[in-house]
Amino acid sequence: MAAGAEAGGFRVPPEEGDGPPGEKVATAPEAADLRSVLVTSVLNLEPLDLDLFRGRHYWVPVSRRLFGGQIVGQALVAAAKAVGEELQVHSLHCYFVRAGDPSVPVLYQVERTRTGHSFSVRSVKAIQHGKPILICQASFQEVQASPVQHQFHMPDVPLPEELQTREELIQQYLEDPNLIEKYRRGLNKILAQEVPIEMKPVNPPDFLHQNPQEPKQLFWVRARGHIGDCDMKLHCCVAAYISDYAFLGTALLPHHHRHRVRFMVSLDHSMWFHAPFRADHWMLYECESPWAGGSRGLVHGRLWRRDGVLAVSCAQEGVIRVQDPPPQSKL
């Protein structure tokens, strides 16, 4: 069989027409149409030297800062290039130390901090303008069996085939004449973005009534396009990208009806990888915020495979600053 293309330093399945004579290879739109842009572009780093890479940008949020999930995902790609194929990432811990500039590429410098018999650690600095914007440590492990196993139970929710996409929901909201104008403007901005992620909310927010919500949200999520069966490290890099999307906003759900956000950015991001998964297959993202205060919010997340297996756990803290309320008249 013909060799698959390299993307982000990992072996990925062959493209249309790459199969051997007589073997049918799926073509668009027959099996997921396009290769995922997360593989072919966002996570496809350019090698510059030993353990030095350059990453470019695909999607920039309306904040005009680099998307944190992109930097985390690219940092993990760089770290994964510095370990053997027999190792798989089991955790990463990142600090965002400066805002990313979308007008220039990001350099990723890898340090081979430790190479052990079972575990290996790689440290990565993401650099722009000569200064780090992110510091990341990723730990890799040889796959080891163990009789000590347990996990939480996956929430009981409708299947993704039974739910509307985020875009369909937004169109539905926009057709309602009673939609509050600030939400209409925000939803139109979201709809105009080309995000390489598909989402299907389980409990979509109620934009028509300004009621507080529990700091919890559930949505099915997957990468747009096709990735296929390949090195598990690539799917982990894609999950790192996905995991930061709409994550910190969970902490705002009880407060959005009372406060207007002035500034919201991630401070750190941690992930733990538990079981194999496909990032281009639907996974349930369970997000909750156990605490907010001191102009910060804390969120926890779990990515579930649709067969009930807990694949990934996440945690993040971010800065949340809101506008001061207008002074009340003393008359």
Side-chain angles (χ1 to χ4, degrees), residues 26-38:
T27 59
E30 183 178 338
D33 62 277
L34 300 173
R35 304 284 303 283
S36 174
V37 71
L38 287 173

Side-chain angles (χ1 to χ4, degrees), residues 7-8 36-45 55-58 74:
S36 174
V37 71
L38 287 173
V39 173
T40 60
S41 177
V42 179
L43 300 177
N44 193 10
L45 301 186
R56 301 188 181 276
H57 325 310
Y58 172 77
Q74 290 182 338

Side-chain angles (χ1 to χ4, degrees), residues 207-319:
F207 290 108
L208 303 181
H209 305 91
Q210 298 190 59
N211 298 321
Q213 296 174 257
E214 288 292 311
K216 296 181 180 180
Q217 60 176 336
L218 293 155
F219 50 89
W220 292 96
V221 64
R222 68 181 178 185
R224 290 191 187 275
H226 181 70
I227 299 175
D229 290 316
C230 56
D231 191 333
M232 188 61 219
K233 289 192 284 290
L234 177 57
H235 287 281
C236 291
C237 294
V238 174
Y241 184 102
I242 290 173
S243 67
D244 189 41
Y245 192 74
F247 196 22
L248 187 56
T250 310
L252 280 173
L253 292 176
H255 312 287
H256 70 86
H257 67 296
R258 287 188 307 228
H259 301 288
R260 186 185 180 110
V261 176
R262 177 167 57 90
F263 183 74
M264 185 170 72
V265 296
S266 305
L267 289 170
D268 54 36
H269 194 82
S270 295
M271 301 183 72
W272 296 265
F273 301 93
H274 311 306
F277 60 92
R278 283 271 301 268
D280 56 344
H281 286 179
W282 288 115
M283 292 191 292
L284 180 68
Y285 200 7
E286 178 188 10
C287 306
E288 58 186 4
S289 174
W291 174 89
S295 294
R296 304 189 317 277
L298 177 67
V299 286
H300 295 159
R302 288 182 281 271
L303 276 167
W304 300 88
R305 293 187 338 208
R306 63 186 297 162
D307 62 358
V309 172
L310 179 59
V312 185
S313 297
C314 314
Q316 183 180 100
E317 190 175 45
V319 176

Side-chain angles (χ1 to χ4, degrees), residues 86-90 118-120 139-144 273:
E86 73 281 3
L87 297 177
Q88 296 296 335
V89 61
H90 73 88
S118 299
F119 292 87
S120 296
S139 183
F140 299 81
Q141 179 190 17
E142 286 191 3
V143 177
Q144 297 175 347
F273 301 93

Side-chain angles (χ1 to χ4, degrees), residues 3 10 18 23 26 31 36 42 49 62 85 87 90 100 104 111 140 161 180 199 204 233 248 254 288 302 309 313 329:
F10 307 101
D18 283 349
E23 180 174 327
S36 174
V42 179
D49 203 340
V62 293
E85 292 185 2
L87 297 177
H90 73 88
V104 297
E111 176 189 287
F140 299 81
E161 292 78 15
I180 299 170
M199 291 176 57
K233 289 192 284 290
L248 187 56
E288 58 186 4
R302 288 182 281 271
V309 172
S313 297
S329 173

